[in-house]
Coordinates of all heavy atoms in Angstrom, one line a residue:
M16 N 64.0 28.1 88.8 CA 65.3 27.5 88.3 C 65.7 28.2 87.0 O 65.0 28.2 86.1 CB 65.2 26.1 88.2 CG 66.4 25.3 87.9 SD 66.2 23.5 87.9 CE 67.9 23.1 87.4
D17 N 67.0 28.7 87.0 CA 67.5 29.4 85.8 C 68.2 28.4 85.0 O 69.2 27.7 85.3 CB 68.4 30.5 86.2 CG 68.8 31.4 85.1 OD1 68.2 31.2 84.0 OD2 69.6 32.3 85.3
L18 N 67.6 28.1 83.6 CA 68.2 27.2 82.7 C 69.2 27.8 81.9 O 69.9 27.1 81.1 CB 67.1 26.5 81.9 CG 66.0 25.8 82.7 CD1 64.9 25.3 81.8 CD2 66.6 24.6 83.5
E19 N 69.3 29.1 81.7 CA 70.3 29.8 80.8 C 71.6 29.9 81.6 O 71.6 30.2 82.8 CB 69.8 31.1 80.4 CG 68.5 31.0 79.5 CD 68.1 32.4 79.1 OE1 68.8 33.4 79.4 OE2 67.1 32.5 78.3
K20 N 72.7 29.7 80.8 CA 74.0 29.8 81.4 C 74.4 31.4 81.4 O 74.4 32.0 80.4 CB 75.0 29.0 80.5 CG 76.4 29.0 81.1 CD 77.3 28.1 80.3 CE 78.7 28.0 81.0 NZ 79.6 27.3 80.2
R21 N 74.8 31.7 82.6 CA 75.2 33.2 82.7 C 76.7 33.3 82.3 O 77.4 32.5 82.5 CB 75.1 33.6 84.2 CG 73.7 33.6 84.7 CD 73.6 34.0 86.2 NE 72.2 34.1 86.7 CZ 71.9 34.4 87.9 NH1 72.9 34.8 88.7 NH2 70.6 34.4 88.3
P22 N 76.9 34.5 81.7 CA 78.3 34.7 81.3 C 79.2 34.8 82.5 O 78.9 35.2 83.6 CB 78.3 36.0 80.6 CG 77.1 36.8 81.2 CD 76.1 35.6 81.4

Side-chain angles (χ1 to χ4, degrees):
M16 184 175 179
D17 193 1
L18 299 178
E19 295 182 359
K20 185 177 181 181
R21 296 181 179 180

